Amino acid sequence: MSPTDSNTAALASWRERIDALNHELLALLEVRGRAVESIMELKRNLEVGVHDPNREAAMLAEISRRVTGPYSSSQVERVFRAIFEISRELGHKPRE
C-alpha cells in the first residue's frame, strides 16, 4: 500500500469516527433538550422566568474549568452559549 493509499484509508477511518461522534452528540443534545423541556414546564408552573443568567454563568464557568483541549475555553464557551440560547427557545414553545 502506498503512502497515499494509507493516508486515504486513514482519512476515511477518521471521517467514519467523526460521523459516529456526530451521532453521539446529536443523541446527547436530544436528551438534553428533553430535560430542558421538563425544566421549562416546571418553570411555567412556578411562573418563573425562562432565563436565569446567574445559573447560565455558573454553568459556563464550570464547563470552562473542565476544558482540557484541543478546543480553547472560549471556543467551548461559544458552543455552550449557542446551546443555551437555543434551549431558551424551548421555553417559548406553546404548551401542547
Side-chain angles (χ1 to χ4, degrees):
M1 180 181 282
S2 75
T4 300
D5 291 342
S6 175
N7 286 334
T8 300
L11 178 60
S13 177
W14 279 112
R15 284 180 171 168
E16 287 177 18
R17 179 67 179 138
I18 289 292
D19 291 345
L21 289 167
N22 286 340
H23 296 154
E24 289 179 43
L25 285 169
L26 175 59
L28 287 171
L29 282 171
E30 289 174 343
V31 169
R32 188 185 191 286
R34 285 188 284 280
V36 168
E37 286 177 326
S38 295
I39 290 168
M40 293 303 179
E41 181 65 25
L42 291 168
K43 285 183 170 188
R44 278 191 287 271
N45 292 339
L46 292 168
E47 297 179 353
V48 297
V50 167
H51 187 217
D52 183 346
N54 293 329
R55 166 85 173 136
E56 190 171 297
M59 286 190 295
L60 285 172
E62 174 63 21
I63 290 164
S64 290
R65 278 193 294 276
R66 293 174 175 260
V67 173
T68 61
Y71 298 111
S72 70
S73 291
S74 66
Q75 290 170 320
V76 171
E77 214 173 279
R78 284 187 2 232
V79 170
F80 276 90
R81 283 184 191 279
I83 291 169
F84 295 164
E85 180 181 337
I86 293 165
S87 294
R88 284 193 300 273
E89 291 173 11
L90 293 176
H92 299 294
K93 282 180 24 178
R95 290 181 187 217
E96 297 177 1

